[in-house]
Amino acid sequence: MSTAPLRPALFIDRDGTLIADAHYLADASGVRLLRDAAESVRLANAAQVPVVIVTNQSGIARGLITEAQYEAVRDRTVALLHHGNAEVLATYHCPHLAEITGACDCRKPGLGLYTQAAHEHALDLARSAYIGDRWRDAQPALATGGLGILVPGVETPTHDVDTAHASRAPNIAVTSSLRDAVMLALTRLGVGDLPNMLTASDFETRA
């Protein structure tokens, strides 16, 4: 019996990367897509590379939001992207916080949610990109061999940027926008209908 080949994916953080970080957002009406969120996901869709949202949601463990509120915000985020003709394959979240719920393997930069997504959707973690506004969003690439991309935002700690630069790993990059991160990922993965004159260096401030 033949099995389908594994696909690369773009694993993208939610708060501060796709939507404005409202800090433990409990009201779905407060979801605001960031400027290039829909366009960036559309680029991946056009390249037929699935987009998977992976997000830490310690507000659940802290009692600041409920699972139902998280789900409403999740659904609103996906709906707004869909309205912008941008499609997400799946979303995963970690509701834990070690000091409250005990240790887990799913809180980023842990690999639990990524391995779950890989199993459920036949994804190749070593050929995937890990994108977000915090170091923990890009860091899984060091364990999987994929491409980690930090996209600094208004709330990205300076330490996170310094850590990304200091890693000097060939599979870690920093870009100035989510769109550039997606273009860099597609270029490095060698997929999508990108202009021939573009190279990975056009989209990264450091690799």
Side-chain angles (χ1 to χ4, degrees):
M1 182 178 65
S2 63
T3 59
L6 299 180
R7 303 176 290 168
L10 302 187
F11 292 100
I12 302 181
D13 174 55
R14 193 190 79 179
D15 301 331
T17 304
L18 288 170
I19 69 173
D21 191 346
H23 302 286
Y24 312 118
L25 182 59
D27 184 354
S29 68
V31 175
R32 299 288 182 271
L33 288 184
L34 293 176
R35 183 181 60 185
D36 59 352
E39 178 190 7
S40 300
V41 175
R42 284 199 305 271
L43 285 170
N45 295 161
Q48 299 185 14
V49 176
V51 170
V52 177
I53 297 174
V54 179
T55 176
N56 286 346
Q57 293 296 319
S58 68
I60 297 172
R62 298 174 194 269
L64 300 174
I65 62 174
T66 66
E67 283 281 355
Q69 288 170 326
Y70 159 75
E71 291 169 2
V73 171
R74 175 201 64 196
D75 293 346
R76 177 64 174 165
T77 300
V78 172
L80 287 175
L81 288 168
H82 177 76
H83 184 71
N85 297 312
E87 304 298 333
V88 172
L89 173 65
T91 67
Y92 294 87
H93 75 290
C94 171
H96 307 122
L97 188 63
E99 53 264 39
I100 297 175
T101 56
C104 69
D105 68 350
C106 60
R107 182 171 172 80
K108 293 184 291 184
L111 300 183
L113 296 179
Y114 302 105
T115 56
Q116 180 183 349
H119 175 74
E120 293 177 351
H121 300 286
L123 304 177
D124 186 346
L125 297 183
R127 294 173 55 231
S128 295
Y130 305 81
I131 302 170
D133 69 320
R134 301 298 178 100
W135 171 239
R136 61 176 172 257
D137 302 320
Q139 190 178 351
L142 296 178
T144 65
L147 173 63
I149 308 175
L150 178 67
V151 185
V154 295
E155 301 204 23
T156 303
T158 301
H159 175 72
D160 282 24
V161 180
D162 292 343
T163 300
H165 284 303
S167 74
R168 302 198 178 279
N171 61 332
I172 296 294
V174 179
T175 65
S176 60
S177 71
L178 178 59
R179 183 184 187 279
D180 281 0
V182 171
M183 292 289 281
L184 171 62
L186 297 180
T187 301
R188 288 254 193 124
L189 292 171
V191 298
D193 185 17
L194 300 177
N196 291 332
M197 72 287 294
L198 297 180
T199 66
S201 63
D202 292 314
F203 310 111
E204 59 190 317
T205 58
R206 182 203 167 278

